[in-house]
Amino acid sequence: MPRRVGTTYSGRIAAATPSPSGPSLTVTVSPTPPPTPLDPRGHPLPRRHLVCAVARILRSPASPTPLADLADYLRGLRLTLTTSEASEVVKALSPDPALALAFFRFAPAYLPGFRHDAFSYNRILALLFRARADPSEALRLVSEMERDGVAGNISTVNLLVGMGGGGVEVAKCLELAMKWGLRLNGYTYKCILQAHLRSREVSKGYEVYEEMRRKGYKLDIFAYNMLLDALAKAGMVDQAYQVFEDMKQRYCEPDAYTYTIMIRMSGRAGKTSKFLLFFDEMVSKGCALNLIAYNTLIEALGKNKMVDKVIFVLTKMIKGDCQPNQFTYSITLDILATEGQLHRLNEVLDICDRYVNRSIYSYLVKSLCKSGHVSEAHNVFCRMWNSCETGDRDAFVSMLEVLCDSGKTLEAIDLLHTMPEKGIATDVSMYNMVFSALGKLKQVSFITSLFDKMNADGIAPDLFTYNIMISSYGRVGLVDKASGLFEEMEASSCKPDVITYNSLINCLGKNGDLDEAHMLFKEMQEKGYDPDVFTYSILIECFGKSNKVDMACSLFDDMIAEGCIPNIVTYNILLDCLERRGKTSEADKYYETLKQQGLTPDSITYSILERLESRSQRTVRIRKPARVTGWVVSPLR
């Protein structure tokens, strides 16, 4: 009995070799591909081994042309891919969206009889959406669907709407849904609403919500919160209250974030009873009171000037083991400052004592210093000093600066000396801060002793140090000390600059050593330093007060010739000098120059002009311009 062949083979002639007994043929035989497996509904099941093989070929780093290799592989096996298999390959390639998209376009172009369907388009659109790809790619895919007559399904529309605001407009998506004969479902409406909210089209989003409500659809908690947040930020308070009530009626329980939104909105709208009601409701429903919820409530209470309740909520916060953050202290500090109750800051710090650390103390000190609350800053600083083993450099510098600015130089010096006790190394900038404050108050005896202490500690003075000290000595007429420091500078590596020369010239000129000042001015030029407007103004003033008006005018002309543009202060000095010497015509000339330069006279200028008018016995009165007006016609013309 003949044996039946269980497998059918097909073959192709690979080679023919002539021989005495006749030609010899070499045949390559391959089995007929098994039929594609089907699911119970008759749909082809993806061949997992084939999907894995295709993905492996495409991901191969050794091949420069993986798509061409794939085409050869499939031709060799006389195989093609089904749509579901192509979709599975796209899924396998999802870590590399560019490769997945390249394969997606390759399949219909190079695989015989292959055509994408709505499901495979959804797969690639979802991949592009997750990868935040250029929305123009999605638009091109939609165009290809329309070109090839592939009708999408409601999932296609949902995916496209999800990309709304990035190039795929909601209106376009709705047109496609109508063209494909699709009925929008609740999820589609939710996607449309969120697309409008992401594009900050809050009114349109609310209109979509109203349509959803009429059709009986409802949102999930995430979408409700997104809508409430958008309405609150857009100032649509009544609509937000309505959505909140709808939310509860549709059995979607508000969460902590929902109540936080409503409390913040009601607080900003000044609806005190509302946000307190929301807070009580939040607590009664057992919502976890987190840091954001507490901060929101404190902020709302503060905006409504309810300081006592702010402190009460802080107490509840601490009892609930919720640690305040910097924002908590920031809004509390603002509330106390606005209501003039900064004296209660100690009460707040006592309540939060177990959570107040060095960084919080530092933040409070810096904030109080910045806002000019010196006493309160010093009080917090003292608490920090007693509570923390090591100090915070920024807080110490802020405290030092505010003490200097407020003229508390003894406290500043004491702080400077005690910084090392808290591990803060003093430097030249800190000393300069104190030197500057002492100089302004003419406390030069402290400057000298502090300068000696600085040198003893091994901190080298810098240019700014010398400039401050020369200027300070000049203010009290200690010319010799100022000159001595200048000579010390020239002998050291810290060379004088224009400001140094200006300080010493000012010191010499205003203390009667005008010739010495003028010689220093010449020396300055010889050494390559360009005098600035302050240098010239100092000397012009000194010459004027010494009745050397011609020298003052000559120096002014030299100043302009050297390209140094005088300012209104320089003109005021020169005009005052000329007026005192009765040189009205010269003052008239320089006043004209002032106007031509485009400078605006100030109150000092007009005071000098009035004296000139009185001196010249003119009857025309000088009219001062208002702040917003420009020049008026001068009576000196």
Side-chain angles (χ1 to χ4, degrees):
M1 184 176 179
R3 181 182 175 187
R4 295 183 179 277
V5 179
T7 305
T8 303
Y9 294 91
S10 61
R12 60 189 178 88
I13 298 173
T17 307
S19 67
S21 60
S24 173
L25 300 178
T26 302
V27 178
T28 301
V29 178
S30 59
T32 301
T36 303
L38 304 176
D39 67 10
R41 295 177 298 171
H43 298 299
L45 292 170
R47 291 164 286 186
R48 297 295 173 189
H49 67 283
L50 183 58
V51 171
C52 293
V54 171
R56 187 170 55 254
I57 291 168
L58 291 174
R59 287 198 298 254
S60 173
S63 173
T65 55
L67 291 172
D69 292 347
L70 174 61
D72 291 342
Y73 171 76
L74 294 175
R75 274 198 302 269
L77 293 179
R78 299 177 64 192
L79 291 174
T80 191
L81 295 173
T82 64
T83 308
S84 60
E85 288 166 347
S87 178
E88 290 296 318
V89 173
V90 169
K91 181 180 178 181
L93 297 175
S94 59
D96 188 346
L99 181 60
L101 185 61
F103 167 74
F104 185 86
R105 298 194 187 285
F106 160 86
Y110 293 96
L111 300 181
F114 184 90
R115 186 169 180 263
H116 285 299
D117 61 8
F119 182 78
S120 58
Y121 271 106
N122 290 349
R123 178 82 80 181
I124 192 67
L125 284 170
L127 174 59
L128 293 176
F129 182 50
R130 287 195 301 273
R132 300 182 184 276
D134 187 344
S136 60
E137 288 292 351
L139 289 172
R140 278 196 286 271
L141 288 169
V142 171
S143 299
E144 290 170 16
M145 288 181 75
E146 293 186 283
R147 182 196 66 199
D148 297 338
V150 179
N153 54 29
I154 197 64
S155 296
T156 317
V157 175
N158 291 346
L159 283 165
L160 292 171
V161 171
M163 298 180 183
V168 185
E169 298 297 334
V170 173
K172 170 71 173 174
C173 300
L174 296 178
E175 286 176 16
L176 289 171
M178 186 177 296
K179 181 178 179 181
W180 293 334
L182 301 175
R183 181 173 177 270
L184 304 186
N185 58 26
Y187 185 75
T188 312
Y189 277 110
K190 173 190 165 184
C191 292
I192 293 170
L193 181 146
Q194 290 176 322
H196 283 310
L197 297 182
R198 280 194 295 270
S199 300
R200 292 182 171 80
E201 298 172 330
V202 183
S203 297
K204 287 185 178 180
Y206 184 71
E207 289 172 9
V208 173
Y209 170 75
E210 289 283 275
E211 186 176 345
M212 283 185 73
R213 197 161 65 90
R214 286 194 297 271
K215 293 187 176 183
Y217 296 123
K218 67 176 185 177
L219 299 171
D220 57 21
I221 185 66
F222 176 81
Y224 270 120
N225 286 346
M226 187 175 179
L227 177 59
L228 286 170
D229 188 52
L231 291 170
K233 288 175 179 175
M236 299 171 69
V237 178
D238 294 335
Q239 292 87 336
Y241 287 145
Q242 181 61 53
V243 171
F244 182 75
E245 291 303 318
D246 290 346
M247 178 182 180
K248 292 193 290 185
Q249 289 172 13
R250 291 173 182 272
Y251 308 104
C252 182
E253 280 296 321
D255 60 10
Y257 185 58
T258 316
Y259 283 109
T260 300
I261 293 167
M262 301 305 292
I263 291 168
R264 182 187 296 115
M265 180 188 72
S266 301
R268 289 176 178 171
K271 297 181 181 294
T272 309
S273 58
K274 277 278 189 184
F275 75 73
L276 290 175
L277 180 66
F278 286 133
F279 184 75
D280 291 340
E281 189 177 316
M282 180 182 182
V283 173
S284 65
K285 287 184 177 293
C287 294
L289 295 177
N290 55 21
L291 179 63
I292 296 174
Y294 276 117
N295 283 348
T296 302
L297 181 61
I298 290 170
E299 188 176 25
L301 290 167
K303 287 184 182 297
N304 290 274
K305 303 180 180 181
M306 304 170 75
V307 179
D308 290 333
K309 286 193 177 293
V310 167
I311 294 177
F312 173 75
V313 171
L314 266 175
T315 306
K316 297 283 286 183
M317 185 178 182
I318 299 302
K319 286 182 178 177
D321 292 325
C322 184
Q323 181 175 352
N325 64 356
Q326 186 171 300
F327 183 69
T328 317
Y329 293 104
S330 171
I331 55 180
T332 305
L333 198 61
D334 286 344
I335 294 160
L336 295 177
T338 303
E339 296 305 308
Q341 297 193 37
L342 272 175
H343 61 277
R344 300 187 71 177
L345 184 57
N346 266 333
E347 184 182 348
V348 170
L349 293 175
D350 288 339
I351 292 168
C352 306
D353 184 60
R354 63 179 162 135
Y355 290 124
V356 182
N357 53 28
R358 191 180 70 172
S359 65
I360 295 299
Y361 275 126
S362 174
Y363 167 75
L364 292 172
V365 170
K366 288 185 288 185
S367 299
L368 289 165
C369 287
K370 189 175 181 180
S371 56
H373 298 289
V374 183
S375 299
E376 291 80 3
H378 190 257
N379 178 50
V380 176
F381 183 82
C382 290
R383 287 185 70 123
M384 180 176 72
W385 182 278
N386 295 325
S387 303
C388 305
E389 291 184 5
T390 58
D392 181 271
R393 181 182 178 81
D394 290 340
F396 273 75
V397 171
S398 295
M399 196 69 241
L400 186 66
E401 184 176 9
V402 78
L403 288 173
C404 291
D405 289 345
S406 58
K408 297 184 177 182
T409 51
L410 292 177
E411 291 89 339
I413 293 171
D414 184 56
L415 178 59
L416 192 63
H417 290 336
T418 54
M419 277 187 186
E421 294 179 21
K422 291 295 182 179
I424 307 296
T426 52
D427 59 23
V428 68
S429 64
M430 296 178 183
Y431 276 96
N432 288 344
M433 201 182 294
V434 182
F435 285 141
S436 183
L438 292 170
K440 289 174 184 175
L441 296 174
K442 299 183 179 180
Q443 296 174 338
V444 292
S445 59
F446 290 115
I447 288 181
T448 305
S449 59
L450 193 62
F451 185 71
D452 293 338
K453 174 74 168 54
M454 175 178 158
N455 284 320
D457 289 343
I459 300 173
D462 62 7
L463 180 62
F464 190 49
T465 315
Y466 282 113
N467 287 346
I468 293 170
M469 294 186 69
I470 290 171
S471 177
S472 301
Y473 285 139
R475 283 194 185 101
V476 295
L478 297 175
V479 180
D480 291 340
K481 285 203 169 191
S483 299
L485 279 176
F486 186 83
E487 291 171 4
E488 183 181 318
M489 282 186 76
E490 290 191 306
S492 70
S493 58
C494 185
K495 301 299 180 185
D497 64 355
V498 173
I499 295 173
T500 319
Y501 276 101
N502 288 348
S503 298
L504 189 54
I505 289 169
N506 190 43
C507 171
L508 293 167
K510 291 185 177 178
N511 286 283
D513 293 339
L514 184 55
D515 290 339
E516 191 71 27
H518 197 208
M519 285 175 61
L520 190 61
F521 173 77
K522 294 294 185 184
E523 178 188 317
M524 175 184 181
Q525 291 177 307
E526 289 169 3
K527 289 188 175 181
Y529 293 99
D530 292 327
D532 58 15
V533 66
F534 186 66
T535 322
Y536 283 106
S537 298
I538 293 166
L539 278 176
I540 290 169
E541 183 179 11
C542 291
F543 282 132
K545 288 184 177 179
S546 300
N547 294 326
K548 297 182 178 181
V549 181
D550 293 338
M551 285 290 290
C553 293
S554 174
L555 192 59
F556 183 87
D557 294 338
D558 291 344
M559 175 185 184
I560 295 176
E562 291 292 333
C564 183
I565 307 300
N567 55 25
I568 192 64
V569 176
T570 318
Y571 275 106
N572 286 346
I573 290 169
L574 185 61
L575 290 173
D576 182 65
C577 165
L578 293 169
E579 186 275 328
R580 290 180 189 281
R581 298 295 295 169
K583 294 182 175 291
T584 307
S585 59
E586 287 87 343
D588 187 11
K589 181 188 75 172
Y590 285 113
Y591 182 62
E592 288 296 324
T593 308
L594 181 154
K595 290 194 298 180
Q596 290 168 11
Q597 191 179 327
L599 293 174
T600 303
D602 58 14
S603 58
I604 296 173
T605 316
Y606 284 107
S607 174
I608 297 166
L609 293 177
E610 285 173 354
R611 296 204 310 267
L612 283 166
E613 176 192 2
S614 176
R615 183 183 288 275
S616 61
Q617 300 297 312
R618 296 192 179 184
T619 57
V620 179
R621 296 183 60 82
I622 295 173
R623 183 165 51 87
K624 295 183 182 180
R627 285 183 178 273
V628 295
T629 61
W631 282 93
V632 295
V633 178
S634 167
L636 301 177
R637 289 167 62 165

